[in-house]
Amino acid sequence: ENVMTQSPATLSVSPGERATLSCRASQSVITNLAWYQQKPGQAPRLLIYGASTRATGIPARFSGSGSGTEFTLTISSLQSEDSAVYYCQQYNNWPPFTFGGGTRVEIK
Amino acid sequence: EVQLVESGGGLVQPGGSLRLSCAASGFTFSSYEMNWVRQAPGKGLEWISYISSSGSPIYYADSVKGRFTISRDNANNSLFLQMDSLTVDDTAVYYCAGRPGAGYGLDVWGQGTTVTVSS
């Protein structure tokens, strides 16, 4: 199983500042990686797939990068509505699809 | 509007069964690969089952293999999860989620249905 590890567990960022979230895979996933945003009481929402392609309707302040085993989600200028838990997921070595443990982004 | 709506959750005793349904609308369901993903209270996301657009192949997480059965009815735009031999560890919100094919993330999600296994 390809284990996905996210860091940090919690990130506190001021509005307008940059947030950088990391995701590491135990085996290469090439660029078969997605990022999701989940707000309390809501279903996850796809932000990024293919490591760097924004999903439909996702604001340009969200960007993804990386390949192989190291990936980054960057929120360039944090907005209050970006407070959420963010998950990475690999879909290269499956089954199973595996998710990271999540990073909680808090507004400072 | 693209939509997935789950139903069938509830309270069940350990060892019992439930059948979850997921109704799709607003997109070409028969072209989508579908999954069930669950989230235990206060925990992260756990993928539990996959079914291809045609209905085969099918895959399960080890945690549910032999107890859960995924199926779909493309004529009626519906996805199902038959859950048997339930344990307290199966308590979670269950989401159906789909993607248009390999190389894509899960871009359509339902709102979730809650399954509580308790005596």
Side-chain angles (χ1 to χ4, degrees):
Chain A
E1 176 176 319
N2 200 342
V3 177
M4 308 301 291
T5 303
Q6 291 187 242
S7 62
T10 303
L11 188 61
S12 185
V13 179
S14 299
E17 296 297 304
R18 178 186 300 262
T20 302
L21 290 67
S22 295
C23 175
R24 173 177 294 178
S26 62
Q27 308 167 43
S28 175
V29 301
I30 315 176
T31 56
N32 293 309
L33 183 111
W35 289 94
Y36 301 87
Q37 176 193 65
Q38 187 179 34
K39 297 181 179 180
Q42 296 185 16
R45 176 174 71 146
L46 178 66
L47 297 176
I48 301 284
Y49 64 94
S52 61
T53 302
R54 274 190 302 276
T56 303
I58 301 304
R61 66 180 181 274
F62 292 93
S63 64
S65 63
S67 65
T69 62
E70 301 283 345
F71 299 89
T72 300
L73 175 70
T74 301
I75 310 173
S76 60
S77 178
L78 198 74
Q79 308 295 305
S80 58
E81 62 263 33
D82 299 333
S83 178
V85 179
Y86 293 82
Y87 295 95
C88 61
Q89 179 219 8
Q90 69 83 21
Y91 48 92
N92 188 67
N93 315 110
W94 66 282
F97 294 118
T98 45
F99 291 89
T103 291
R104 182 179 304 277
V105 173
E106 299 177 341
I107 308 300
K108 194 180 289 184
Chain B
E1 178 191 9
V2 172
Q3 198 170 18
L4 292 172
V5 178
E6 300 96 338
S7 60
L11 174 64
V12 62
Q13 292 187 336
S17 298
L18 276 178
R19 180 175 170 85
L20 305 184
S21 299
C22 172
S25 60
F27 65 102
T28 307
F29 177 75
S30 60
S31 299
Y32 261 60
E33 303 176 356
M34 296 301 296
N35 300 264
W36 288 97
V37 176
R38 70 184 180 183
Q39 187 168 36
K43 302 298 184 182
L45 301 171
E46 179 191 14
W47 169 83
I48 58 170
S49 189
Y50 163 96
I51 186 168
S52 75
S53 57
S54 66
S56 178
I58 284 172
Y59 301 114
Y60 299 97
D62 288 345
S63 58
V64 306
K65 198 173 296 181
R67 301 187 299 121
F68 289 11
T69 304
I70 191 172
S71 61
R72 67 189 296 162
D73 179 353
N74 285 343
N76 289 295
N77 295 328
S78 295
L79 176 73
F80 305 99
L81 186 69
Q82 176 67 41
M83 304 187 297
D84 298 319
S85 303
L86 286 161
T87 75
V88 296
D89 291 338
D90 296 316
T91 294
V93 176
Y94 285 73
Y95 297 101
C96 57
R99 68 175 189 172
Y104 292 87
L106 300 173
D107 67 351
V108 182
W109 290 74
Q111 84 288 352
T113 188
T114 300
V115 172
T116 303
V117 184
S118 175
S119 55

